[in-house]
Amino acid sequence: MKKIFILVFTELFLLSFGQKKMSNIEYKNSPEVFTIKGLSQSTSIDCGPSKMILLSGQVPLDAAGNIVGNDVEKQTVQVFKNIESILKAYGATGKDIIKLGIFITDISKTPDFRKVRDLYINLQNPPVSSLVEVSRLFRDDVLIEVEATAVIKNK
């Protein structure tokens, strides 16, 4: 009887104080950004007073799926246009980005990336970032891919 009591008490404790199932997740795609069937461009997580927005890696494709630019600088402009379009669906902008993950095929082109990035982010409090040189992305003509995480106040 004592073992049953302890088991029931433990179960009630875990149910009362354990993590609740997260039903506060939303997935969105922007019609202004190329969409691949079966993949989401972004997801947001309601965190109470704020919302965290996670973007999939953005590449320099326009809404029709055509590559934009043949160098890192021009491709980065399209990447950030895509990021801005997705964030706009949540009422956010590039100034709300807190984390960037950058995958680039030639690390010596990082200054070209930064020149464009600085037009979109909050320079007073720049996002944390990771920069990785890769030998190849999903297509040979894609030179850069950028993941972004943003946080905005909940409305």
Side-chain angles (χ1 to χ4, degrees):
M1 182 67 169
K2 185 177 179 184
K3 287 181 182 179
I4 292 173
F5 175 74
I6 291 172
L7 183 62
V8 169
F9 178 76
T10 302
E11 190 67 30
L12 287 172
F13 177 81
L14 291 174
L15 288 173
S16 298
F17 296 104
Q19 184 177 8
K20 305 251 187 292
K21 183 177 179 185
M22 292 181 59
S23 62
N24 52 354
I25 298 176
E26 178 182 23
Y27 296 87
K28 285 190 179 183
N29 289 327
S30 169
E32 298 171 29
V33 178
F34 182 68
T35 303
I36 298 172
K37 187 176 169 92
L39 298 177
S40 295
Q41 296 170 348
S42 65
T43 185
S44 68
I45 303 167
D46 186 338
C47 301
S50 59
K51 182 180 290 193
M52 181 184 296
I53 306 162
L54 304 149
L55 277 67
S56 62
Q58 295 302 304
V59 293
L61 299 179
D62 63 16
N66 301 312
I67 190 84
V68 175
N70 57 3
D71 62 35
V72 168
E73 187 174 343
K74 290 175 186 157
Q75 288 193 5
T76 301
V77 169
Q78 183 62 43
V79 165
F80 274 95
K81 283 182 180 179
N82 292 347
I83 289 171
E84 285 280 327
S85 293
I86 295 166
L87 290 175
K88 183 179 174 184
Y90 294 98
T93 71
K95 306 291 184 201
D96 299 305
I97 295 172
I98 61 163
K99 168 91 170 81
L100 290 171
I102 304 106
F103 305 92
I104 193 167
T105 58
D106 182 355
I107 206 151
S108 72
K109 302 297 182 187
T110 301
D112 297 334
F113 162 76
R114 287 187 180 140
K115 184 171 27 172
V116 175
R117 177 208 60 187
D118 289 354
L119 300 173
Y120 291 90
I121 64 166
N122 177 347
L123 291 174
Q124 297 303 111
N125 295 298
V128 298
S129 62
S130 299
L131 174 66
V132 179
E133 183 178 41
V134 295
S135 61
R136 186 173 185 272
L137 290 162
F138 81 104
R139 284 176 35 177
D140 288 333
D141 55 352
V142 173
L143 307 174
I144 189 159
E145 181 170 340
V146 179
E147 297 176 339
T149 302
V151 174
I152 59 173
K153 290 183 180 175
N154 242 337
K155 297 175 184 167

